[in-house]
Amino acid sequence: MKRLLSGIKPTGEVTLGNYIGALRQFVEMQKDYESFVFVADLHALTVYNDPNELRRRIRDIVAIYLACGLDPKYTTLFIQSENLYHTNLSWVLECNSYMGELSRMTQFKDKSKGKGNEAISCGLFTYPALMAADILLYDADVVPVGVDQKQHVELARNLAERFNNKYGTTFKVPEPIISKAGAKIYDLQNPQKKMSKTDNSSKGCIMLLEDIESAKKKIMSAVTDSENRIYYDKENKPGISNLLVIYSSLKGIALEEVEQVFKDSNYGEFKKSVAEEVAQFLSSLQNKYKAIIESGEADKILDESNEKVRQIAEAKVKDVFSKIGVGR
Ligand code: TYM
């Protein structure tokens, strides 16, 4: 069976964009792959986090994974920092990456823009090598991600090929999987910009654990245009197109079908339907989340997968160390 691997980092609260762009795919694909999904907690350290908040968000992501339908029968769930081999391989990959290629990562360019060198952590720069390690450690065949992470998966491919050429076949070369619709959910107030965890407080971002009424209000006040006709046109109608994608993803129906349903509606009616759909989705998810947190089942699941992921990663790192000539 082919392997799937992906993760979410606990910087800020998990958003509807993370669900539609990534998590939803993990759930849909889990039965067709040997699946590994983790909390990328070491990735959160590229910026400062309050330690208690960080730990709370790590637990929340695990509970959200389960609440969204990741099933331990099919998916091995784990926390990155609990498997120390990730950072071992990351160092080796950093030493096989070039300043040039890491400088070309658009996320690095965006996040460091306008900041002086003293304000950017070295981790922000080398972070894609850690992400490559996450993927290559497990010989992942496919990596479902939103479009903003595609370039990082492509770097992982390049690093795998470079290493294999230098030292002999060691790593599987992974494929990014980007969903056809919903690969990028936009900010509700600024539909040119990605809906992002780092803008949690904004009116443009819906969080999975957010108060339902507040989420509905955000949909109702989403920026649109003045045409008052509902159809998908990403260039000229980014706000309406974003709402159409959100509705179609949550409802599980094609965009064309959604356009048909709302062809005679005005923006107010359409937004109300989208708000209702989001509210239903959030409230069902949040009920499951609460039950999972209260049951304490997440710890048991994580404890059970730890040995499995450790063994896989240890074997890979030993193979790498032996090939590159470190140790005895
Ligand atoms: P992160 O935590 O920023 O995002 C998690 C996943 O959600 C997707 N995503 C979106 N998709 C659609 N619309 C949006 N507005 C949106 N915002 C985020 C992201 O593309 C991602 O798939 N570096 C990664 C985490 C990571 C990882 C890995 C992923 C670490 N190691 C190995 C895959 C494999 C990150 O920061 O994602």
Side-chain angles (χ1 to χ4, degrees):
M1 208 176 204
K2 288 194 167 182
R3 277 195 186 155
L4 173 157
L5 177 132
S6 200
I8 296 181
K9 70 169 184 280
T11 323
E13 310 296 323
V14 183
T15 69
L16 191 61
N18 297 133
Y19 175 75
I20 294 177
L23 232 168
R24 188 171 56 115
Q25 271 66 250
F26 311 164
V27 178
E28 276 166 14
M29 295 170 75
Q30 65 179 337
K31 289 190 187 155
D32 300 324
Y33 292 86
E34 184 188 2
S35 184
F36 294 83
V37 175
F38 68 105
V39 181
D41 56 348
L42 295 172
H43 284 264
L45 304 180
T46 58
V47 293
Y48 174 78
N49 293 271
D50 174 81
N52 292 323
E53 272 292 292
L54 180 58
R55 190 149 293 127
R56 195 260 310 150
R57 288 198 300 258
I58 293 168
R59 289 192 167 274
D60 274 355
I61 295 187
V62 177
I64 287 172
Y65 279 154
L66 293 166
C68 287
L70 284 180
D71 180 343
K73 237 187 355 228
Y74 306 108
T75 298
T76 303
L77 283 177
F78 66 101
I79 296 174
Q80 182 189 33
S81 66
E82 292 183 7
N83 186 349
L84 300 176
Y85 289 105
H86 286 246
T87 43
N88 288 166
L89 183 59
S90 174
W91 173 248
V92 175
L93 295 178
E94 269 176 53
C95 294
N96 284 278
S97 329
Y98 301 115
M99 294 287 287
E101 64 192 344
L102 293 183
S103 310
R104 286 193 292 277
M105 294 293 119
T106 45
Q107 261 211 357
F108 173 71
K109 287 198 272 187
D110 289 349
K111 291 191 175 172
S112 57
K113 203 163 28 191
K115 292 189 185 149
N117 276 348
E118 300 302 320
I120 307 161
S121 74
C122 293
L124 189 66
F125 183 68
T126 56
Y127 147 113
L130 177 59
M131 179 158 161
D134 301 335
I135 299 168
L136 302 184
L137 264 184
Y138 297 90
D139 281 327
D141 295 279
V142 295
V143 184
V145 284
V147 83
D148 64 316
Q149 291 294 332
K150 186 167 177 237
Q151 194 186 25
H152 292 159
V153 183
E154 279 159 0
L155 177 82
R157 289 173 61 84
N158 293 340
L159 295 180
E161 280 166 355
R162 186 175 304 155
F163 191 98
N164 289 347
N165 287 336
K166 258 197 216 167
Y167 298 105
T169 304
T170 310
F171 297 120
K172 247 302 155 58
V173 181
E175 283 289 335
I177 302 278
I178 316 289
S179 80
K180 274 183 220 83
K184 188 166 181 180
I185 298 298
Y186 293 86
D187 186 285
L188 299 168
Q189 289 297 313
N190 177 2
Q192 316 287 348
K193 194 174 136 284
K194 179 184 89 162
M195 182 183 282
S196 167
K197 286 197 224 99
T198 42
D199 304 320
N200 271 170
S201 57
S202 102
K203 278 167 67 187
C205 172
I206 291 184
M207 295 159 279
L208 296 183
L209 299 181
E210 167 161 2
D211 171 72
I212 310 281
E213 285 312 309
S214 144
K216 280 165 91 173
K217 272 196 201 128
K218 288 181 182 174
I219 298 282
M220 293 309 290
S221 59
V223 166
T224 53
D225 54 73
S226 55
E227 194 190 17
N228 218 13
R229 277 184 55 222
I230 296 159
Y231 59 95
Y232 185 85
D233 177 349
K234 197 168 153 234
E235 294 306 307
N236 300 308
K237 297 169 73 67
I240 285 294
S241 301
N242 194 33
L243 293 176
L244 280 166
V245 170
I246 291 175
Y247 187 87
S248 105
S249 305
L250 295 183
K251 199 91 181 156
I253 56 178
L255 265 180
E256 297 74 32
E257 207 178 313
V258 184
E259 283 177 326
Q260 237 358 73
V261 173
F262 293 105
K263 70 179 190 319
D264 299 319
S265 307
N266 61 37
Y267 284 180
E269 290 158 347
F270 172 54
K271 280 181 168 176
K272 222 167 148 208
S273 300
V274 180
E276 274 315 316
E277 196 55 41
V278 168
Q280 257 181 42
F281 166 72
L282 292 184
S283 98
S284 141
L285 177 93
Q286 290 176 9
N287 287 336
K288 291 183 200 149
Y289 160 87
K290 279 183 205 124
I292 289 159
I293 291 282
E294 279 160 22
S295 75
E297 67 183 283
D299 277 324
K300 209 167 135 258
I301 292 167
L302 293 169
D303 288 346
E304 277 167 11
S305 36
N306 266 352
E307 187 50 22
K308 178 174 175 186
V309 294
R310 195 193 59 74
Q311 275 182 15
I312 295 174
E314 181 182 28
K316 185 58 83 184
V317 167
K318 280 195 168 154
D319 183 27
V320 167
F321 279 9
S322 134
K323 283 186 167 126
I324 59 181
V326 294
R328 273 185 283 172

